[in-house]
Amino acid sequence: MGNLNREALSLYLVTDRTLSLGQPLPEIVRGAVRGGTTMVQLREKSCDTREFVELGRALHEMLQPAGIPLIVNDRADIAQVIGAEGVHIGQHDMAYADARRLLGPEAIIGLSVENDEQARECRSFAGLDYIAASPVFATPTKTDTATALGLKGVQHLRQVVGPALPMVAIGGVNRTNIPAILRSGADGVAVVSAICSAPSPEAAARELGAAIKQAKP
Amino acid sequence: MGNLNREALSLYLVTDRTLSLGQPLPEIVRGAVRGGTTMVQLREKSCDTREFVELGRALHEMLQPAGIPLIVNDRADIAQVIGAEGVHIGQHDMAYADARRLLGPEAIIGLSVENDEQARECRSFAGLDYIAASPVFATPTKTDTATALGLKGVQHLRQVVGPALPMVAIGGVNRTNIPAILRSGADGVAVVSAICSAPSPEAAARELGAAIKQAKP
């Protein structure tokens, strides 16, 4: 179990430079943080390792003073090298047990969960910090994802994993559907294009954050 | 400085599944080892992490009893998870200092060197185990490589790095040019297609190994 504060999952930005409309990623993240983003995942699927490390270091230097955890998608080595707070793994990434053994008990480790079977399986993953129910709604961001869960799917995953495991929902999140998503049992939402593709990431984050605050009791 | 025996660089197989003509990679490696391959680098550029780990574990289980080091290309996390002997990094991968800090003094770390400037730079990399002079000759294996060094380029790199740093040459190696490559100051050769694309990887490795033995004093 890493050092994850459940509140940090409220508004979780997952980066995607291919969707960032020409804005440099550090600028997007800076704006998102000003707007109230509570956690950031650096996801890079095609850049080389050197660039990934440099980008990760730049983001970590920005986020650490703000107390915002930086999570690296898939690459545990890059997380270690830059001193990131943890990794996010998908079902085709390293196995959870391998990632935990490698990174130790302090690291935050999150896992994408797309269906019932994966939700049942992750109940045995000692120390797992959070799951990302994925995708809630159909989304243009990822083309390799499973069928959309829908709100009922999120509710169901919450029942399967129990109340203790922190859970974010990702996929097609916007400020309109945030209240329903949170009512379905998610502790927060993860967004990609809602912030990365926004003309003002800061304003977008602020609007999403307001919707979250309003929805949470 | 890792635990590299300079002799292990003699015949260094670098894997490439896209060139393996339908033969499963473990079969190629098994044949190559029977034929006298002295070190193996697992290089995967497009498979997902889970598959990379599984493949790496299978190869490590095969190679460890034979005392043949397994080196993972780029992915230090995968090297750690599978207990590989080290990593090979290119100029666009993690910086040497980062890799060494991450993996510790025992790991074998090798670096691709393509030109004079990189060769001069690597003289300050304390504990670097070997360099791969790349590419000696033009090769269809990699499309992103620098201009071919030629034999004179290999000679020159040897002069720049000095006699102590182990060096393999890679790119367009075959049994005909092996004697000239070794005379140019390389301690061994690294091959991809010469073994991966051979009808019999075992026979190919044996022939290459015979050429190396004949050429070495």
Side-chain angles (χ1 to χ4, degrees):
Chain A
M1 183 75 74
N3 298 311
L4 178 67
N5 175 342
R6 201 164 180 139
E7 284 301 303
L9 292 177
S10 295
L11 180 53
Y12 185 7
L13 169 64
V14 178
T15 70
D16 190 328
R17 283 198 286 171
T18 65
L19 293 173
S20 62
L21 308 181
Q23 292 182 88
L25 189 54
E27 286 314 299
I28 291 175
V29 173
R30 200 184 310 277
V33 166
R34 273 199 219 105
T37 292
T38 51
M39 189 150 123
V40 176
Q41 178 187 136
L42 176 59
R43 185 172 70 183
E44 288 290 330
K45 286 301 181 190
S46 56
C47 81
D48 60 44
T49 300
R50 184 74 58 104
E51 192 184 357
F52 200 156
V53 167
E54 284 166 7
L55 197 52
R57 282 209 168 103
L59 295 187
H60 198 239
E61 277 172 26
M62 182 195 307
L63 297 170
Q64 194 175 32
I68 294 175
L70 175 64
I71 304 298
V72 175
N73 184 284
D74 181 21
R75 294 287 302 254
D77 49 352
I78 293 176
Q80 291 177 288
V81 160
I82 69 172
E85 280 65 37
V87 297
H88 183 88
I89 51 180
Q91 295 287 331
H92 297 285
D93 295 332
M94 194 175 285
Y96 171 72
D98 286 333
R100 179 58 74 194
R101 204 161 32 232
L102 185 57
L103 297 174
E106 303 291 305
I108 296 171
I109 303 182
L111 175 70
S112 293
V113 166
E114 295 157 354
N115 57 46
D116 208 66
E117 192 190 334
Q118 294 167 3
R120 278 196 305 270
E121 189 190 42
C122 81
R123 291 187 302 200
S124 67
F125 292 171
L128 179 64
D129 291 286
Y130 72 89
I131 59 168
S134 167
V136 198
F137 300 114
T139 161
T141 306
K142 291 187 80 178
T143 51
D144 61 340
T145 44
T147 319
L149 295 161
L151 295 168
K152 284 198 176 164
V154 175
Q155 277 177 348
H156 181 66
L157 291 187
R158 170 53 79 203
Q159 285 170 355
V160 173
V161 299
L165 187 62
M167 177 171 84
V168 283
I170 185 168
V173 173
N174 57 46
R175 73 193 150 133
T176 314
N177 58 29
I178 280 177
I181 290 173
L182 297 182
R183 277 196 305 271
S184 303
D187 297 294
V189 293
V191 300
V192 188
S193 58
I195 288 180
C196 287
S197 305
S200 165
E202 180 176 346
R206 190 159 284 129
E207 286 179 2
L208 294 164
I212 292 164
K213 277 207 186 73
Q214 237 180 337
K216 280 198 174 179
Chain B
M1 180 78 74
N3 297 311
L4 179 66
N5 175 343
R6 201 163 180 138
E7 284 300 304
L9 292 176
S10 295
L11 179 54
Y12 185 7
L13 169 64
V14 178
T15 69
D16 189 328
R17 284 197 286 171
T18 65
L19 294 173
S20 61
L21 309 181
Q23 293 181 86
L25 189 55
E27 287 313 300
I28 290 175
V29 173
R30 200 185 309 277
V33 166
R34 273 198 219 105
T37 292
T38 52
M39 191 148 122
V40 175
Q41 179 187 138
L42 176 59
R43 186 171 69 184
E44 288 290 329
K45 287 299 180 191
S46 55
C47 81
D48 61 43
T49 300
R50 184 74 58 104
E51 191 185 357
F52 200 157
V53 167
E54 284 167 6
L55 197 52
R57 282 210 167 103
L59 295 187
H60 198 239
E61 277 173 26
M62 183 196 304
L63 295 170
Q64 195 176 32
I68 294 175
L70 176 65
I71 305 298
V72 175
N73 184 283
D74 181 23
R75 294 288 302 255
D77 51 351
I78 293 176
Q80 293 177 93
V81 160
I82 69 171
E85 281 66 35
V87 296
H88 183 89
I89 52 180
Q91 296 287 331
H92 297 286
D93 295 333
M94 193 175 285
Y96 172 72
D98 286 333
R100 179 59 73 194
R101 203 161 32 233
L102 185 57
L103 297 173
E106 304 290 306
I108 295 171
I109 304 182
L111 175 70
S112 294
V113 166
E114 295 158 354
N115 57 44
D116 209 65
E117 192 191 333
Q118 294 167 3
R120 276 194 306 269
E121 189 189 43
C122 81
R123 290 186 303 199
S124 67
F125 292 171
L128 179 65
D129 290 286
Y130 73 88
I131 59 168
S134 168
V136 198
F137 301 114
T139 160
T141 306
K142 292 187 80 179
T143 51
D144 61 339
T145 45
T147 319
L149 295 162
L151 295 168
K152 284 197 177 163
V154 175
Q155 275 176 350
H156 181 67
L157 292 187
R158 170 53 80 199
Q159 284 169 355
V160 174
V161 300
L165 187 62
M167 177 172 84
V168 283
I170 185 168
V173 173
N174 57 45
R175 73 193 150 135
T176 314
N177 58 29
I178 279 177
I181 291 172
L182 297 183
R183 276 196 306 271
S184 303
D187 296 295
V189 292
V191 301
V192 187
S193 59
I195 289 179
C196 287
S197 305
S200 164
E202 179 176 348
R206 191 160 283 132
E207 285 178 2
L208 293 164
I212 292 164
K213 277 207 185 73
Q214 237 181 336
K216 282 198 173 178

